[in-house]
Amino acid sequence: VPGKILSIPIDKNASTNCTDTSARVFYRKDPIAMFNEFITKTKDGNILIPGMEADYITNSASAQLMKCTPQGDTIWSKLIKGGYPNQTILVYKAFELNDNSLLLAGEMYVPMPYNGRYDPMIMRVTPTGDLIWEKTFKTRLWDSDTTEGSMDILDCKQDAAGNLYLGGDVRHLG
């Protein structure tokens, strides 16, 4: 159905009427493919779907954020470009903040002499997905350029003063 990305019925107790065994939604129309990540239900009852759009011709990926109704109708969609030319940037988690703006957690691939690394990245966007600010972080775990790894931001809490507290994990692959 045109304009429909996915449909997951959610009852008033926030439980779904179906079981998702795939963990991801994938759409491909060569040379472009779209991958989604963890969905977030917003205060207004809609759904945020972060992810990435991969281009198989340029071998690069840009971050993608969509807001949809629970029925799967797209309210808006944003493509977020950045990072190094012909490399990967993606967002995998979206958090709705106290003022209804959104904090996006993701990563950016950084080319290195050996292997490469994924630097964690956060972006704050308006409730309609327009960029307010972005920040990347470098970790000392792979300063020597000989290892590969990533840091994943999996949770975000905001206190009454507006301070953000992030939690997650580190993967070291080298």
Side-chain angles (χ1 to χ4, degrees), residues 61 143 166:
D143 269 349
L166 306 174

Side-chain angles (χ1 to χ4, degrees), residues 5 25-29 32-36:
I5 299 297
V25 173
F26 172 82
Y27 171 79
R28 181 172 180 167
K29 184 174 181 183
I32 303 294
M34 291 172 31
F35 303 85
N36 84 295

Side-chain angles (χ1 to χ4, degrees), residues 7 16 20 28 33 49 52 55 57 63 79 103 110 117-118 123 147 156 173:
S7 180
T16 60
D20 178 6
R28 181 172 180 167
I49 306 172
M52 74 174 185
D55 184 327
I57 290 178
L79 191 62
L103 185 75
V110 178
R117 70 174 193 258
Y118 289 91
M123 295 181 212
T147 61
C156 174
L173 307 175

